[in-house]
Structures are given as structure tokens and as C-alpha cells.
Amino acid sequence: MLRRPETIIVMLVFSIAMTFVSGLQAEAKSKMQKKSFGKTEDGQPVDLYILTNKNGMESAITNYGGTVVSLIVPDRNGKREDVVLGYDNLAGYATGKAYIGATVGRYANRIAHATFTLDSTTYTLAKNDGDNHLHGGFNKRVWTAKDVSSSAGQALELTYLSKDGEEGFPGTLPVKVVYTLTDQNELKIDYSATTDKDTILNLTNHAYFNLAGQGNGDILQQQIMIRADKFTPIDATSIPTGELRSVKGTPFDFTNSIAIGVRIDQDDQQLKLGRGYDHNWVLNNGTPGSLFLAAQAYDPHSGRVLEVLTTEPGIQLYTGNFLDGIHGKDGKVYNRRYAFCLETQHFPDSPNHPNFPSAELKPGQHFQSTTVYKFTTK
Ligand code: BGC
């Protein structure tokens, strides 16, 4: 079809304008806000990065501990609320003991007696949970931040160089965490690392969720589904016994969505040992290492739904059993069971359980792990 010259000019102007507008949009997308979050005791400046998406979702992340400080998500009526616990200031994170929102490593969760043997060398770690090692110290380090936003969404890259021998772990370990907030209402976390000596590594994020809004009461009516037919029972010090136990007929069966509070106080030995849920589930992912919908949480009041997808083989459901009146954001006080954590991970104490998926990392290997927190409403 032949077009008149005026028509062609109009079309050209229109397409140039559209290119300009989408350029502006791309620029808006890449404009992550940065604010000072204070200084550490030894004088290191720390910042807060605010990631936003086109749906009004927003997340503040600090390079202190690679920590998610807030996550603002709409409910079924569009009302925006912060669904993660946190502190108002850096001092809260620097003195806090609950790993709230932090990047956890080198080894997420516990290592029995703070010791493991690799290539016939026995390593001794810091004992920070009775006789055990728990979670490591990445949450109290200052990470180097870089804006790596792209068409996928606003994105923050955090890097940290963990030295050989830090907390007793072997190998110099450059580690990278990239947080991306997508327009599909996902907070995507990509972890990567390498090592120069055989070592072990298990990284997670320790967000404490309350889908009704942070500090707004307990989470007992919020529902959880976990795609796992087995879990790893624990001993009196919360170390896995090594057994992979079927969830069938137990309060650990979350294969169908059920409110957290329905069975949490049942007369069950495992619930007593954890003071509630504080266990690792063995995910039914038939293709290890591929992104798998591991769990879903739902708050019937707000309608918020959280889906957790991960490449990891396990997930820890921790129901805030040890929260004991922590003074958090906006004057809120966090009491027992005011939040739940869904920590994607290799199983606790894997280095001491040859039957668990290995958490070893060797020189030449590239550690890669992804977890996505996706929000919808119903
Ligand atoms: C552990 C809990 C611990 C909490 C805070 C969770 O990952 O399983 O036992 O109290 O983190 O450190």
C-alpha cells in the first residue's frame, strides 16, 4: 500500500516520540534511590538503596549485611504495607541477634559442635549458638554496592570478600548477591561465589515475613504450603538427626495449604524441640538446581500471597519462636510468632551428614543459587 508523504512523516515522528518515551521509562527504571544509613562503630559509611517497580512495590536494602530493610507490597485492595520485620536504624542491625532480613553465610543454619571435616582436615568454627555454629557473620559485614539495574528491573549488586579462615572457614571467597525487583512483583535474589580452596557454602536470606504488615500481630492465621514430602527432624540442640522423615500424618505436612497455628502447639516431640516450627523441609524438586516453586504463604485478611521459588534443595520454616519483644520499625514490638521465615538453603549441618546434598565448593567451580519472593493477591 502506498502512503502519502504526510502520513509517513507523522508515523516517523510518532515512532521517534515512542523511542524517547521508552528511553525515559528505562531511565526511570534505572534510577534507584540511595540514602545514607549512618556509619558503623568503626566509621564505615553504610547506605540504604530503594528499589521500586511500576506497581508501587518498593524495597529498601542496605549494604550492611546485605539486608532487606523493608518490602512494601499492595494488598487485595491496593493498600501498601511493609511485610518484613526490621529496625529503623543501623544500630538495630549492628546489635540485633535475630539476623532480621540479612544475607546469611557462610553457612546458613547450624553446624553441630561448630566443626566439620573436609579432605581429612578438621575445621573449627566460631561457637555462637551454645556448642554449635549458627548462620555465620555475613550479616554484620559492610558489602560493596553497585546499581546494576536493567530492563529486568531495578537491581542492586552487593559484593564481599570473605577471607581465608574467616570464622574458621577455609578458602578466600568472593561472594556476590544481586537483588532485582521486577515488574512481576518479584524480589529475585541471585547468589554467586568462587573459592581458592575446598570449602563449604550455604547462603540464604533471613527475611521475617508478616503478610498482614510488620508488627501487626502474630502469623498464626496465615497459611503455608510447602512442596515437600519429607523433613529433617532435629535433636535437642536443633541439629538434624540425619533422618529424612515423611511428613505424612504429622504436623509437618504442609503439602496442602494450612494455617500455621492449626497444629503448632500439638503434643509433638519435634514441635517441642523447635518450640514451634524451626525445621528444614526436603523439597520435591525432581531437577535439583532448577528454579522450583518451593512454598506459598497466604494471608486471608489482606489477600497477600507470597510464593517462594528456589534452586536450593531445602527450606527452613521458622515461625519466630524466639522473638521476644524486639523493638522494631515504626515503634512496633515483635513478640513470639509475629513473623515467619522461609529460608531457602542446603540442609542444616550438611557437612556432617553424607546423606544430605553436598554443600562443598571447590576451586574452579562457580557457586550459583537463586531465590525469588513473588507477591500476588487473591
Ligand atoms: C533458625 C532459628 C534461629 C533463627 C534466628 C533460624 O534460621 O533455624 O533456630 O533462632 O534463625 O537466628
Side-chain angles (χ1 to χ4, degrees):
M1 182 177 70
L2 280 175
R3 292 193 196 278
R4 297 207 334 230
E6 308 87 276
T7 317
I8 292 171
I9 289 168
V10 167
M11 283 169 68
L12 258 173
V13 169
F14 181 73
S15 88
I16 290 167
M18 287 314 287
T19 313
F20 181 69
V21 168
S22 68
L24 278 183
Q25 278 170 346
E27 201 183 310
K29 214 169 229 176
S30 66
K31 282 243 161 62
M32 177 191 300
Q33 272 185 64
K34 179 181 167 183
K35 295 182 191 166
S36 169
F37 201 44
K39 278 191 180 159
T40 59
E41 279 219 316
D42 60 352
Q44 295 183 74
V46 169
D47 294 306
L48 200 59
Y49 298 84
I50 323 285
L51 283 65
T52 51
N53 77 0
K54 68 167 193 200
N55 311 316
M57 205 176 136
E58 184 181 305
S59 184
I61 297 167
T62 173
N63 61 324
Y64 185 79
T67 304
V68 177
V69 172
S70 68
L71 190 55
I72 298 170
V73 180
D75 71 3
R76 65 160 79 85
N77 301 314
K79 185 175 169 222
R80 291 163 14 111
E81 247 165 331
D82 187 354
V83 298
V84 293
L85 309 194
Y87 298 101
D88 284 322
N89 51 43
L90 181 58
Y93 291 98
T95 55
K97 292 188 169 55
Y99 298 84
I100 294 182
T103 294
V104 169
R106 284 194 192 191
Y107 201 92
N109 217 288
R110 291 176 176 81
I111 295 184
H113 311 296
T115 182
F116 67 97
T117 301
L118 186 62
D119 308 328
S120 48
T121 304
T122 298
Y123 294 95
T124 307
L125 308 170
K127 288 188 178 173
N128 60 352
D129 181 61
D131 194 40
N132 299 327
H133 178 79
L134 173 67
H135 288 330
F138 281 2
N139 61 310
K140 304 250 164 152
R141 306 282 186 268
V142 177
W143 296 58
T144 303
K146 189 175 160 194
D147 183 345
V148 291
S149 301
S150 70
S151 56
Q154 292 192 347
L156 180 70
E157 176 192 282
L158 298 169
T159 48
Y160 173 67
L161 185 70
S162 178
K163 303 229 171 72
D164 186 18
E166 188 173 308
E167 290 174 290
F169 290 97
T172 301
L173 186 100
V175 53
K176 179 156 93 181
V177 180
V178 179
Y179 286 101
T180 308
L181 184 63
T182 74
D183 285 338
Q184 288 72 48
N185 286 4
E186 300 161 323
L187 183 65
K188 181 168 176 263
I189 315 175
D190 291 297
Y191 304 90
S192 54
T194 53
T195 181
D196 63 357
K197 276 188 194 161
D198 287 8
T199 192
I200 56 166
L201 184 64
N202 190 21
L203 299 173
T204 194
N205 175 274
H206 212 307
Y208 284 72
F209 295 100
N210 185 333
L211 298 182
Q214 64 100 15
N216 291 347
D218 67 49
I219 43 72
L220 296 176
Q221 286 177 32
Q222 297 179 25
Q223 299 172 14
I224 298 278
M225 183 278 291
I226 304 176
R227 293 177 71 202
D229 295 332
K230 291 181 183 139
F231 76 109
T232 51
I234 53 173
D235 69 11
T237 65
S238 292
I239 295 293
T241 59
E243 181 189 349
L244 307 182
R245 187 180 293 177
S246 168
V247 297
K248 241 200 171 104
T250 78
F252 292 82
D253 187 350
F254 282 93
T255 52
N256 292 308
S257 190
I258 182 166
I260 293 170
V262 174
R263 303 165 300 180
I264 199 167
D265 289 321
Q266 274 185 9
D267 186 14
D268 175 277
Q269 189 224 14
Q270 281 299 314
L271 284 173
K272 287 199 173 121
L273 290 172
R275 298 191 68 220
Y277 295 106
D278 189 2
H279 296 76
N280 169 71
W281 272 255
V282 179
L283 294 171
N284 294 343
N285 187 352
T287 321
S290 66
L291 203 59
F292 178 77
L293 173 66
Q296 192 179 68
Y298 171 57
D299 172 36
H301 296 288
S302 65
R304 288 193 186 91
V305 177
L306 162 65
E307 285 177 349
V308 182
L309 295 95
T310 188
T311 56
E312 287 297 312
I315 197 165
Q316 186 90 6
L317 168 63
Y318 168 57
T319 46
N321 311 315
F322 301 107
L323 292 174
D324 57 356
I326 291 176
H327 288 266
K329 288 180 286 193
D330 306 325
K332 295 284 171 78
V333 175
Y334 307 143
N335 292 318
R336 188 162 190 236
R337 299 181 177 162
Y338 265 42
F340 63 83
C341 302
L342 284 166
E343 301 153 65
T344 55
Q345 60 186 6
H346 270 59
F347 307 171
D349 200 31
S350 293
N352 295 311
H353 295 280
N355 60 324
F356 288 178
S358 170
E360 283 176 31
L361 183 69
K362 296 181 189 304
Q365 291 178 338
H366 190 78
F367 176 91
Q368 190 78 47
S369 171
T370 298
T371 289
V372 177
Y373 298 130
K374 182 178 168 71
F375 291 89
T376 55
T377 57
K378 68 175 182 192

